[in-house]
Amino acid sequence: MRSTGFFRAKTRSLIGFAMGLLERHAGSVPRSMAELVPLPGIGRKTANVILGNAFGKNEGITVDTHVGRISRLLRLTRATDAVKVERDLLPLFPRPKWTLLSHLLISHGRAVCVARRPRCAECPIAGECPSARQAGHG
Ligand code: SF4
């Protein structure tokens, strides 16, 4: 069993978020970054997920561990802080593709460009990737 207590923190966040929705937004999920981010348990990453996937609004790019790692491997950013990674990525991609970009990078990070053992020999973007390793070299 992994980290005991993690579910408690998640439960606390969800309850805090639900209370915030009830108290500040009459139980509805708001549709703007400015209204979402101050709610308990919501950071910019989660707000981007909600806005992009629930409301089809491309206000930003969701940067999780996969998005950050692959963006650095592709030399799209050198930042490690998620907000700075997002700031570097935003001007590089057309706004209507921001939500899709996160999904694609996350899928790529799970299926091919896995942490510590990227499968560069099978990677369809190896030709564009400055971090590509030759088969047999790692
Ligand atoms: S070539 Fe390798 S390091 Fe670059 S994106 Fe593909 S799997 Fe990741």
Side-chain angles (χ1 to χ4, degrees):
M1 175 123 169
R2 286 193 3 212
S3 63
T4 51
F6 190 51
F7 69 96
R8 290 182 203 283
K10 286 210 164 188
T11 304
R12 259 197 306 276
S13 284
L14 281 169
I15 292 171
F17 177 58
M19 298 290 284
L21 289 184
L22 282 172
E23 287 164 9
R24 298 182 217 172
H25 299 283
S28 297
V29 179
R31 294 172 177 239
S32 76
M33 187 66 76
E35 291 173 300
L36 280 167
V37 167
L39 288 165
I42 302 290
R44 191 174 165 87
K45 182 177 93 174
T46 306
N48 272 327
V49 173
I50 293 171
L51 292 169
N53 296 286
F55 300 128
K57 293 177 80 175
N58 287 293
E59 283 210 19
I61 295 173
T62 303
V63 177
D64 76 342
T65 178
H66 296 293
V67 174
R69 178 170 49 78
I70 297 171
S71 297
R72 285 186 292 279
L73 287 169
L74 291 170
R75 306 279 193 270
L76 303 178
T77 183
R78 293 171 67 175
T80 50
D81 174 76
V83 173
K84 290 182 185 154
V85 172
E86 184 184 2
R87 202 177 301 150
D88 288 341
L89 292 179
L90 291 176
L92 302 178
F93 296 90
R95 187 170 189 145
K97 305 289 186 194
W98 286 352
T99 300
L100 176 64
L101 176 72
S102 295
H103 286 301
L104 292 175
L105 289 177
I106 292 166
S107 298
H108 191 54
R110 288 180 178 150
V112 180
C113 191
V114 289
R116 287 187 289 280
R117 280 191 161 271
R119 301 188 184 114
C120 301
E122 304 162 29
C123 179
I125 57 170
E128 328 300 325
C129 179
S131 306
R133 298 179 192 176
Q134 300 300 312
H137 290 270

